Amino acid sequence: MNRQLLLGAEAVAQGALDAGISGVYAYPGTPSTEITEYIQRSKAARAGGVRSSWSANEKTAYEAALGMSYAGKRSLVCMKHVGLNVAADAFINSAITGVNGGLVLAVADDPSMHSSQNEQDSRAYGRFAMVPVLEPASQQELYDTMFHAFALSEEVRLPVIVRMTTRLSHSRAGVEQRSPRPQNALKAEYAPERFVLMPHNARVQYRHLLDLQPKLEELSESSFLNRPAGGSGPIGVIAFGIGYNYAMEARAAHGIECRVLKIGQYPLPRRMVEELFAACSEVLVVEEGYPVYEELFRGYFGSPKVRGRMDGTLPRAGELTTDLLASALGVGLPETPAIPGIVANRPPELCKGCGHRDMFDAITVAIREHADHHVFSDIGCYTLGALPPYSAIHTCVDMGAAITMAKGAADAGLRPAVCVIGDSTFTHSGMTGLLDAVNDRSPVTVVIADNDTTAMTGGQQSSATGPKLVDICIGLGVDRAHIRHFVPLRKNLDEAVAILREEFAFEGVSVVIAQRDCIEKAAKEKRRAAAKGQ
Amino acid sequence: MQKNIILAGVGGQGILSIAAVIDWAALQEGLEIRQAEVHGMSQRGGAVQSHLRIADHELYADLIAFGTADLILSVEPLEALRYLPYLAPDGHVATALEPFVNIPDYPPMEGILAELARIGAPVLVPAAEIAREAGSARASNMVMLGAGAPFTGIAPDKLEAGIEALFGAKGREVVDSNIRAFRRGLELSTN
């Protein structure tokens, strides 16, 4: 038996490669990043010419994947849950056009918000777009599911979502591989009646999507991802995704008598669900995420049979555990040792020697000279500047919002209107906001923290750094005289403060680039160079 | 056979190398493995942990339930205490003694030692010192793997083979110093 130890994310990657993808498109985001990184490292992917470099954002990634599918080939597109908000326009409309080559969207949700600003549930997007959603429960199932997902996508000619959550994506297990399938041949067909979404076409395509729904439900009835998992008695558990793991673990550990129905493919297999509800007086709905299906089972007027996150049987927010499942099924848990009172929290922090530290020192000095010292910021390592001892940034909402929020505040009269954004976040969705500010002559100071990489997610290639960033800003119409630079080092503090002071005072758009390479990236490159030298 | 192991430390201290060695050995033994780890924001100097489960039967959950960890293996003393709710009544704790102080309210060492003493018989390891003696200051995580080895359910020679596999690409000297570190930790734990 040839088993390979893979993270859930890596199982998705290997499964997609073996299912014959010709490309992966993605923007990094925890907990989805490792899918694309695995493909980038894969020798087989290189040999097969599978394209895999990073996209500027999730929307560009999704559209490129759709284009590859249009040309007849199989494509994978990966993102974290909030990335799907960025790609949503392309995603929802690709359900109307449909696909040619298999198109699979692997999306990784982050319940409990380990590395995210919310815990939105991507299954809701699947329902919204009316496309199949697959939600495997183990690393092996993730691998096997990729074959199924691409075949299903080509059978029903729709994009298919493979949804996973942090615990599965970032957990390793032994995975058995199958023999790989060849890539599809190039086969781009003219089908403007499907792909030109003018109203007269879109109405027909939408009708088609609606008409497909019974077939999708029927396919769920025979999916290997949906199955009763034994048990007896009046208590039923309908366990979605990795909710199944916790239900099975609790049932085995505590000898709980209950029936379990495992769900891993949507739309729901109606007959299986009806059978469970008919056989049980109470059904616990176990979802790793929002109570999407629990709400449906309850209906507006409620159902006395349904237990779950909405009636407090399980917590409304946060990820599930075996203990939560055991409690929900009536098991009294033994006392366990408490965390001693002296155990202080240890939050993450900016690395020692990181240039962001010196950048925040400079910004803090310069902005304290003003009565109002709000600093708008964004998503990346520099978000850690919100924590003590810096407490230097005061917003972090969504990718790119630093610039546009500063612009809106400037329009309202706030002076200075200062924002901090990283190089990768700037190219992800900061550039368009900067264009708004230029067009509106909004007095904002945009500090671009250019560390030459996408650092927070582990140092991926950034779309634009260094001189390319300057070119972009000039191209967007920022006055060259107000594109300034400093190197964030302690010895440059006075110079940095002077530059910031001048630009804060300027009644127009300025960009101040704080350029110093990420120390983690530099260390990694040094190690790599040393390894090559040996 | 089933073992639930919590690996604890601070981002960057190398607990994933410990996990990788145990994983490798368990895979060779044909065992089932689930090993959940922390990626992303917390890796930047924050508290990190890995839930490692191995068994000779099917495992479902990636996470360990409260009160069921057979071993808490920590490369930092304060971090050993953070996961006590997971410890089984007959579980073991093995921890390195060198504090990693990157927070202003890090508690006094006497307090940490007093809490560790309440656990029963924790294995307390001056891991950095032993690692230096073994020839590599960076091998203190392998000292800790050695100290925890008797509670992992995997034979020491299998774990040593895992160290070979993991560090092999870095050359003989690195492998040897890591194996020496492992053996010193193991001796300390079994004597």
Side-chain angles (χ1 to χ4, degrees):
Chain A
M1 188 169 63
N2 181 23
R3 285 188 311 162
Q4 215 188 333
L5 201 64
L6 296 178
L7 287 173
E10 295 172 340
V12 169
Q14 187 64 56
L17 284 173
D18 292 345
I21 56 166
S22 299
V24 60
Y25 295 89
Y27 182 81
T30 312
S32 71
T33 313
E34 296 82 359
I35 305 172
T36 307
E37 287 185 319
Y38 183 91
I39 296 171
Q40 290 172 344
R41 286 196 309 268
S42 160
K43 284 187 187 128
R46 247 194 318 277
V50 177
R51 68 77 56 208
S52 62
S53 53
W54 295 105
S55 301
N57 67 36
E58 293 86 354
K59 179 174 179 288
T60 66
Y62 194 94
E63 290 155 352
L66 181 62
M68 182 170 272
S69 156
Y70 179 96
K73 301 208 174 188
R74 290 185 166 186
S75 60
L76 175 68
V77 52
C78 316
M79 58 195 66
K80 69 183 293 178
H81 57 338
V82 286
L84 185 47
N85 297 331
V86 178
D89 198 7
F91 164 67
I92 303 285
N93 288 310
S94 71
I96 312 288
T97 62
V99 306
N100 288 337
L103 170 53
V104 174
L105 164 62
V107 58
D109 294 358
D110 190 18
S112 282
M113 303 178 230
H114 298 280
S115 270
S116 305
Q117 68 271 48
N118 74 31
E119 59 173 28
Q120 67 184 56
D121 189 324
S122 298
R123 295 175 307 154
Y125 266 117
R127 273 182 59 75
F128 191 36
M130 291 180 276
V131 300
V133 176
L134 310 181
E135 194 186 15
S138 70
Q139 291 79 354
Q140 181 70 56
E141 232 180 46
L142 273 172
Y143 175 82
D144 295 333
T145 290
M146 296 313 288
F147 285 85
H148 174 54
F150 280 103
L152 177 64
S153 173
E154 287 175 358
E155 181 185 351
V156 298
R157 301 187 96 182
L158 287 176
V160 169
I161 294 184
V162 172
R163 184 234 189 193
M164 61 177 168
T165 54
T166 307
R167 288 304 166 188
L168 192 53
S169 181
H170 286 171
S171 176
R172 292 173 201 277
V175 173
E176 259 181 88
Q177 275 178 246
R178 304 187 204 172
S179 46
R181 173 194 175 281
Q183 294 182 29
N184 288 355
L186 180 68
K187 193 179 168 211
E189 284 177 284
Y190 288 101
E193 70 287 357
R194 290 173 60 209
F195 282 93
V196 178
L197 287 183
M198 291 173 74
H200 65 286
N201 288 333
R203 285 184 204 111
V204 176
Q205 282 299 107
Y206 181 55
R207 185 72 249 168
H208 172 69
L209 178 62
L210 293 173
D211 291 344
L212 260 180
Q213 298 304 307
K215 174 169 184 176
L216 300 184
E217 204 172 288
E218 202 49 48
L219 287 167
S220 288
E221 296 281 358
S222 58
S223 168
F224 75 101
L225 293 165
N226 295 331
R227 58 177 186 267
S232 59
I235 308 294
V237 176
I238 179 161
F240 297 80
I242 66 167
Y244 168 77
N245 299 349
Y246 299 123
M248 295 300 278
E249 192 81 29
R251 187 166 83 169
H254 301 285
I256 301 166
E257 191 184 306
C258 63
R259 298 166 198 266
V260 174
L261 173 61
K262 176 188 184 302
I263 299 289
Q265 179 165 336
Y266 313 77
L268 288 189
R270 181 172 289 273
R271 285 197 296 280
M272 284 186 196
V273 175
E274 281 171 354
E275 274 166 30
L276 182 76
F277 272 80
C280 297
S281 59
E282 244 178 58
V283 175
L284 178 68
V285 186
V286 181
E287 298 175 83
E288 182 77 320
Y290 283 10
V292 178
Y293 289 88
E294 182 184 339
E295 199 170 358
L296 286 177
F297 295 147
R298 285 180 185 280
Y300 189 79
F301 297 102
S303 157
K305 268 193 186 184
V306 180
R307 302 279 176 275
R309 287 188 184 269
M310 296 176 74
D311 64 355
T313 307
L314 288 166
R316 175 62 181 78
E319 63 181 341
L320 299 169
T321 63
T322 301
D323 294 312
L324 288 172
L325 259 290
S327 295
L329 291 167
V331 175
L333 294 174
E335 286 274 312
T336 53
I339 302 174
I342 60 165
V343 176
N345 280 335
R346 198 192 301 259
E349 59 175 1
L350 289 167
C351 301
K352 301 275 184 279
C354 170
H356 293 338
R357 287 178 176 250
D358 298 295
M359 174 188 71
F360 284 128
D361 283 338
I363 290 172
T364 301
V365 172
I367 201 135
R368 286 280 153 80
E369 295 168 358
H370 297 266
D372 272 323
H373 34 74
H374 302 272
V375 177
F376 299 89
S377 195
D378 228 299
I379 297 172
C381 279
Y382 51 94
T383 312
L384 294 170
L387 303 178
Y390 297 99
S391 304
I393 62 161
H394 312 111
T395 73
C396 163
V397 181
D398 68 273
M399 294 287 283
I403 297 178
T404 26
M405 283 183 70
K407 180 208 183 297
D411 295 344
L414 185 73
R415 298 289 185 282
V418 179
C419 64
V420 178
I421 188 168
D423 48 274
S424 185
T425 308
F426 177 72
T427 48
H428 178 286
S429 23
M431 299 189 300
T432 43
L434 183 58
L435 182 61
D436 280 352
V438 168
N439 289 343
D440 221 7
R441 295 193 178 81
S442 302
V444 294
T445 306
V446 178
V447 180
I448 302 181
D450 175 13
N451 59 2
D452 198 39
T453 190
T454 312
M456 178 56 92
T457 45
Q460 294 75 26
Q461 181 88 45
S462 178
S463 289
T465 64
K468 201 165 162 188
L469 276 179
V470 177
D471 291 345
I472 289 171
C473 293
I474 292 170
L476 290 171
V478 181
D479 181 352
R480 281 164 200 258
H482 291 283
I483 300 175
R484 311 285 299 273
H485 267 102
F486 69 88
V487 177
L489 282 168
R490 179 159 299 271
K491 62 176 185 179
N492 298 338
L493 180 67
D494 292 346
E495 180 206 352
V497 170
I499 290 170
L500 289 166
R501 197 180 278 143
E502 286 169 27
E503 298 308 327
F504 288 179
F506 173 59
E507 272 288 306
V509 177
S510 32
V511 172
V512 180
I513 300 176
Q515 210 291 323
R516 177 147 79 86
D517 284 7
C518 167
I519 54 161
E520 275 287 313
K521 175 178 180 270
K524 208 190 273 179
E525 277 165 8
K526 210 169 153 188
R527 282 198 297 272
R528 204 172 293 154
K532 267 189 189 155
Q534 271 179 359
Chain B
M1 176 275 208
Q2 178 178 314
K3 293 287 176 188
N4 291 335
I5 302 168
I6 300 263
L7 301 170
V10 179
Q13 280 195 308
I15 64 166
L16 293 184
S17 299
I18 301 178
V21 173
I22 302 176
D23 287 347
W24 189 92
L27 195 69
Q28 299 305 308
E29 295 286 280
L31 298 170
E32 289 297 314
I33 306 156
R34 288 297 184 101
Q35 185 237 315
E37 55 196 52
V38 177
H39 294 201
M41 191 177 252
S42 306
Q43 282 180 298
R44 303 269 172 268
V48 292
Q49 97 298 113
S50 174
H51 288 216
L52 202 169
R53 309 186 67 210
I54 46 184
D56 56 7
H57 54 81
E58 185 172 8
L59 287 168
Y60 293 104
D62 297 276
L63 296 180
I64 293 170
F66 285 137
T68 68
D70 301 287
L71 171 64
I72 293 175
L73 182 58
S74 181
V75 295
E76 205 278 348
L78 179 64
E79 295 309 317
L81 299 176
R82 195 180 302 282
Y83 305 100
L84 285 184
Y86 289 97
L87 191 63
D90 57 351
H92 298 269
V93 174
T95 182
L97 283 170
E98 296 81 7
F100 187 101
V101 182
N102 65 341
I103 46 173
D105 50 350
Y106 194 95
M109 201 57 203
E110 307 84 75
I112 294 175
L113 289 172
E115 291 293 348
L116 284 168
R118 274 137 112 356
I119 296 165
V123 182
L124 304 178
V125 187
E129 189 188 319
I130 294 178
R132 270 194 303 276
E133 287 169 15
S136 168
R138 296 186 59 188
S140 60
N141 53 354
M142 290 301 115
V143 175
M144 288 317 302
L145 174 60
F151 315 111
T152 60
I154 296 181
D157 60 316
K158 302 288 195 309
L159 292 170
E160 286 192 11
I163 295 174
E164 288 254 15
L166 190 70
F167 293 102
K170 296 182 177 174
R172 196 66 240 166
E173 179 45 38
V174 175
V175 171
D176 288 346
S177 61
N178 276 287
I179 286 183
R180 278 197 301 276
F182 171 83
R183 288 183 182 166
R184 292 291 307 276
L186 181 64
E187 276 166 32
L188 192 139
S189 189
T190 42
N191 286 338

Coordinates of all heavy atoms in Angstrom, one line a residue, chain B residues 102-158:
Chain B
N102 N 8.5 36.6 25.0 CA 8.3 37.6 24.0 C 7.0 38.3 24.3 O 6.4 39.0 23.5 CB 8.2 37.0 22.6 CG 7.1 36.0 22.4 OD1 6.5 35.5 23.4 ND2 6.7 35.8 21.2
I103 N 6.5 38.2 25.6 CA 5.3 39.0 26.0 C 5.7 39.7 27.4 O 6.5 39.2 28.1 CB 4.1 38.0 26.3 CG1 4.5 36.7 27.0 CG2 3.5 37.6 24.9 CD1 3.4 35.9 27.4
P104 N 5.1 40.8 27.6 CA 5.5 41.6 28.8 C 5.0 40.9 30.1 O 5.7 41.1 31.1 CB 4.8 42.9 28.6 CG 3.7 42.7 27.6 CD 4.1 41.5 26.7
D105 N 4.0 40.1 30.0 CA 3.4 39.5 31.3 C 3.8 38.0 31.4 O 3.0 37.3 32.0 CB 1.9 39.7 31.4 CG 1.2 39.3 30.1 OD1 1.9 39.0 29.1 OD2 0.0 39.2 30.1
Y106 N 5.0 37.7 30.9 CA 5.4 36.3 31.1 C 5.6 36.0 32.6 O 6.2 36.7 33.3 CB 6.8 36.1 30.3 CG 7.1 34.6 30.2 CD1 6.8 34.0 29.0 CD2 7.7 33.9 31.2 CE1 7.1 32.6 28.8 CE2 8.0 32.6 31.1 CZ 7.7 31.9 29.9 OH 8.0 30.6 29.7
P107 N 4.9 34.9 33.0 CA 4.9 34.7 34.5 C 6.3 34.3 35.0 O 7.2 33.8 34.2 CB 3.9 33.6 34.7 CG 3.8 32.9 33.4 CD 4.1 34.0 32.3
P108 N 6.6 34.4 36.3 CA 7.9 34.0 36.9 C 8.0 32.5 36.7 O 7.1 31.7 36.8 CB 7.8 34.4 38.3 CG 6.4 34.8 38.6 CD 5.7 35.0 37.3
M109 N 9.3 32.1 36.5 CA 9.6 30.7 36.3 C 9.2 29.8 37.5 O 8.7 28.7 37.3 CB 11.1 30.5 36.0 CG 11.5 29.3 35.3 SD 10.6 29.0 33.7 CE 10.8 27.2 33.6
E110 N 9.3 30.3 38.7 CA 8.9 29.5 39.9 C 7.5 29.1 39.8 O 7.1 28.0 40.2 CB 9.2 30.3 41.2 CG 10.5 30.9 41.4 CD 10.6 32.3 40.7 OE1 10.1 33.2 41.2 OE2 11.3 32.3 39.6
G111 N 6.6 30.1 39.4 CA 5.2 29.8 39.2 C 4.9 28.7 38.2 O 4.1 27.8 38.5
I112 N 5.6 28.8 37.1 CA 5.5 27.8 36.1 C 5.9 26.4 36.6 O 5.2 25.4 36.4 CB 6.3 28.1 34.8 CG1 5.7 29.4 34.2 CG2 6.3 27.0 33.8 CD1 6.5 29.9 33.0
L113 N 7.0 26.4 37.3 CA 7.5 25.1 37.8 C 6.5 24.5 38.9 O 6.3 23.3 38.9 CB 8.9 25.3 38.4 CG 10.0 25.5 37.4 CD1 11.3 25.9 38.1 CD2 10.2 24.3 36.5
A114 N 6.0 25.4 39.7 CA 5.0 25.0 40.7 C 3.8 24.3 40.0 O 3.3 23.3 40.5 CB 4.6 26.1 41.6
E115 N 3.3 25.0 38.9 CA 2.1 24.4 38.2 C 2.5 23.1 37.6 O 1.7 22.2 37.6 CB 1.6 25.4 37.2 CG 1.0 26.7 37.7 CD -0.3 26.4 38.5 OE1 -0.9 25.3 38.4 OE2 -0.8 27.3 39.2
L116 N 3.7 23.0 37.0 CA 4.1 21.8 36.4 C 4.2 20.6 37.4 O 3.8 19.5 37.2 CB 5.5 21.9 35.7 CG 5.5 22.7 34.4 CD1 6.9 23.0 33.9 CD2 4.8 21.8 33.3
A117 N 4.7 21.0 38.6 CA 4.8 20.0 39.7 C 3.5 19.4 40.1 O 3.4 18.3 40.5 CB 5.5 20.6 40.9
R118 N 2.4 20.2 39.9 CA 1.1 19.7 40.3 C 0.6 18.6 39.4 O -0.4 17.9 39.7 CB 0.0 20.8 40.2 CG 0.0 21.7 41.5 CD -0.1 23.1 41.2 NE -1.1 24.1 41.3 CZ -2.3 24.1 41.6 NH1 -3.0 23.0 42.0 NH2 -3.0 25.2 41.7
I119 N 1.2 18.5 38.2 CA 0.7 17.5 37.2 C 0.9 16.1 37.7 O 0.2 15.2 37.3 CB 1.3 17.7 35.9 CG1 0.9 19.1 35.3 CG2 1.0 16.7 34.9 CD1 1.8 19.6 34.2
G120 N 1.9 15.9 38.5 CA 2.3 14.5 38.9 C 3.8 14.3 38.6 O 4.6 14.9 39.4
A121 N 4.1 13.7 37.6 CA 5.6 13.5 37.3 C 5.9 14.0 35.9 O 6.2 13.2 35.0 CB 5.9 12.0 37.4
P122 N 6.0 15.3 35.7 CA 6.3 15.8 34.4 C 7.8 15.5 34.1 O 8.6 15.4 35.0 CB 6.1 17.3 34.5 CG 6.3 17.6 36.0 CD 5.8 16.4 36.7
V123 N 8.1 15.3 32.9 CA 9.5 15.1 32.5 C 10.0 16.5 32.1 O 9.6 17.1 31.1 CB 9.6 14.2 31.2 CG1 11.1 14.0 30.9 CG2 8.9 12.9 31.5
L124 N 10.9 17.1 33.0 CA 11.4 18.4 32.8 C 12.8 18.3 32.1 O 13.7 17.7 32.7 CB 11.5 19.2 34.1 CG 10.1 19.2 34.8 CD1 10.3 19.9 36.2 CD2 9.1 19.9 34.0
V125 N 13.0 19.0 31.0 CA 14.2 18.8 30.2 C 15.0 20.1 29.9 O 14.4 21.0 29.3 CB 13.8 18.1 28.9 CG1 15.1 17.7 28.1 CG2 12.9 16.9 29.1
P126 N 16.2 20.2 30.4 CA 17.0 21.4 30.0 C 17.5 21.2 28.5 O 18.6 20.8 28.2 CB 18.2 21.4 30.9 CG 18.3 19.9 31.4 CD 17.0 19.3 31.2
A127 N 16.5 21.3 27.6 CA 16.7 20.8 26.2 C 17.8 21.6 25.5 O 18.6 20.9 24.7 CB 15.4 20.9 25.5
A128 N 17.9 22.9 25.7 CA 18.9 23.6 24.9 C 20.3 23.2 25.3 O 21.1 23.0 24.5 CB 18.6 25.1 25.2
E129 N 20.5 23.0 26.6 CA 21.8 22.6 27.1 C 22.2 21.3 26.6 O 23.3 21.1 26.1 CB 21.7 22.6 28.6 CG 23.0 22.4 29.4 CD 22.7 22.2 30.9 OE1 21.9 22.9 31.4 OE2 23.4 21.3 31.5
I130 N 21.2 20.3 26.6 CA 21.5 19.0 26.1 C 21.8 19.0 24.6 O 22.7 18.3 24.1 CB 20.3 18.1 26.4 CG1 20.2 17.9 27.9 CG2 20.5 16.7 25.7 CD1 19.0 17.0 28.4
A131 N 21.1 19.9 23.9 CA 21.2 19.9 22.5 C 22.7 20.5 22.1 O 23.3 19.9 21.2 CB 20.2 20.9 21.8
R132 N 23.1 21.5 22.9 CA 24.4 22.0 22.7 C 25.5 20.9 22.9 O 26.4 20.7 22.1 CB 24.7 23.2 23.6 CG 24.3 24.5 23.0 CD 24.8 25.7 23.8 NE 24.4 25.7 25.2 CZ 23.3 26.2 25.6 NH1 22.4 26.7 24.8 NH2 23.0 26.2 26.9
E133 N 25.3 20.2 24.0 CA 26.2 19.1 24.3 C 26.2 18.0 23.2 O 27.3 17.4 22.9 CB 25.8 18.4 25.6 CG 26.1 19.2 26.9 CD 25.5 18.7 28.1 OE1 25.1 17.5 28.1 OE2 25.4 19.4 29.1
A134 N 25.1 17.8 22.6 CA 25.0 16.8 21.5 C 25.6 17.3 20.2 O 25.7 16.6 19.3 CB 23.5 16.4 21.3
G135 N 25.9 18.6 20.2 CA 26.6 19.2 19.0 C 25.8 20.1 18.1 O 26.3 20.5 17.1
S136 N 24.5 20.3 18.5 CA 23.7 21.3 17.7 C 22.7 22.0 18.5 O 21.8 21.4 19.0 CB 23.0 20.5 16.5 OG 22.1 21.4 15.9
A137 N 22.9 23.3 18.7 CA 22.0 24.1 19.5 C 20.6 24.0 18.9 O 19.6 24.2 19.6 CB 22.5 25.5 19.6
R138 N 20.5 23.8 17.6 CA 19.2 23.8 16.9 C 18.4 22.5 17.1 O 17.3 22.4 16.7 CB 19.4 24.1 15.4 CG 20.0 25.4 15.2 CD 20.0 25.8 13.7 NE 18.6 25.7 13.1 CZ 18.4 25.8 11.8 NH1 19.4 25.9 11.0 NH2 17.2 25.8 11.4
A139 N 19.0 21.5 17.8 CA 18.4 20.2 17.9 C 17.6 20.0 19.2 O 17.3 18.9 19.5 CB 19.5 19.1 17.8
S140 N 17.3 21.1 19.9 CA 16.6 20.9 21.1 C 15.2 20.3 20.9 O 14.7 19.6 21.8 CB 16.5 22.2 21.9 OG 15.8 23.2 21.2
N141 N 14.6 20.5 19.7 CA 13.3 19.8 19.5 C 13.5 18.3 19.4 O 12.6 17.6 19.8 CB 12.6 20.4 18.3 CG 13.5 20.4 17.0 OD1 14.6 20.1 17.1 ND2 12.9 20.8 15.9
M142 N 14.6 17.9 18.9 CA 14.9 16.4 18.9 C 15.2 15.9 20.3 O 14.9 14.7 20.6 CB 16.0 16.1 17.9 CG 15.6 16.3 16.4 SD 14.2 15.3 15.9 CE 13.0 16.6 15.6
V143 N 15.8 16.7 21.1 CA 15.9 16.3 22.5 C 14.5 16.0 23.1 O 14.3 15.0 23.8 CB 16.6 17.4 23.4 CG1 16.7 17.0 24.9 CG2 18.1 17.6 22.9
M144 N 13.6 17.0 22.8 CA 12.3 16.8 23.4 C 11.5 15.6 22.8 O 10.8 15.0 23.4 CB 11.5 18.1 23.1 CG 11.9 19.3 24.0 SD 12.2 18.8 25.7 CE 10.6 18.1 26.2
L145 N 11.8 15.4 21.5 CA 11.2 14.2 20.9 C 11.7 12.9 21.6 O 10.9 12.0 22.0 CB 11.5 14.1 19.4 CG 11.1 12.8 18.7 CD1 9.5 12.6 18.8 CD2 11.5 12.7 17.2
G146 N 13.0 12.9 22.0 CA 13.5 11.8 22.7 C 12.8 11.7 24.1 O 12.4 10.6 24.5
A147 N 12.7 12.8 24.7 CA 12.1 12.8 26.1 C 10.6 12.3 26.0 O 10.1 11.7 27.0 CB 12.2 14.2 26.7
G148 N 9.9 12.6 24.9 CA 8.5 12.2 24.8 C 8.4 10.8 24.2 O 7.3 10.2 24.3
A149 N 9.5 10.3 23.6 CA 9.4 9.1 22.8 C 8.7 7.9 23.6 O 7.9 7.2 22.9 CB 10.8 8.7 22.3
P150 N 9.0 7.7 24.9 CA 8.4 6.5 25.5 C 6.9 6.5 25.6 O 6.3 5.5 25.8 CB 9.0 6.5 26.9 CG 10.2 7.4 26.9 CD 9.9 8.4 25.7
F151 N 6.3 7.7 25.3 CA 4.8 7.8 25.4 C 4.1 7.9 24.1 O 3.0 8.2 24.0 CB 4.5 9.1 26.3 CG 5.3 9.2 27.5 CD1 6.3 10.2 27.6 CD2 5.2 8.3 28.6 CE1 7.1 10.3 28.8 CE2 6.0 8.4 29.7 CZ 7.0 9.4 29.8
T152 N 4.9 7.7 23.0 CA 4.3 7.9 21.7 C 3.8 6.6 21.1 O 3.1 6.7 20.1 CB 5.4 8.4 20.7 OG1 6.5 7.5 20.6 CG2 6.0 9.8 21.1
G153 N 4.1 5.5 21.7 CA 3.6 4.2 21.2 C 4.5 3.8 20.0 O 4.1 2.8 19.3
I154 N 5.5 4.5 19.7 CA 6.4 4.1 18.6 C 7.8 3.8 19.1 O 8.3 4.6 19.9 CB 6.4 5.2 17.5 CG1 5.0 5.3 16.9 CG2 7.4 4.9 16.4 CD1 4.9 6.4 15.8
A155 N 8.4 2.7 18.6 CA 9.7 2.3 19.1 C 10.8 3.3 18.8 O 10.7 3.9 17.7 CB 10.1 0.9 18.6
P156 N 11.7 3.6 19.7 CA 12.8 4.6 19.5 C 13.5 4.4 18.2 O 13.8 5.4 17.5 CB 13.7 4.5 20.7 CG 12.8 3.9 21.8 CD 11.8 3.0 21.1
D157 N 13.8 3.2 17.8 CA 14.6 3.0 16.6 C 13.8 3.4 15.3 O 14.3 3.9 14.4 CB 15.1 1.5 16.4 CG 14.0 0.5 16.4 OD1 13.0 0.7 17.2 OD2 14.0 -0.4 15.5
K158 N 12.5 3.3 15.4 CA 11.6 3.7 14.3 C 11.6 5.3 14.2 O 11.6 5.8 13.1 CB 10.2 3.2 14.5 CG 10.1 1.7 14.6 CD 10.3 1.1 13.2 CE 9.9 -0.3 13.1 NZ 10.2 -1.3 14.1

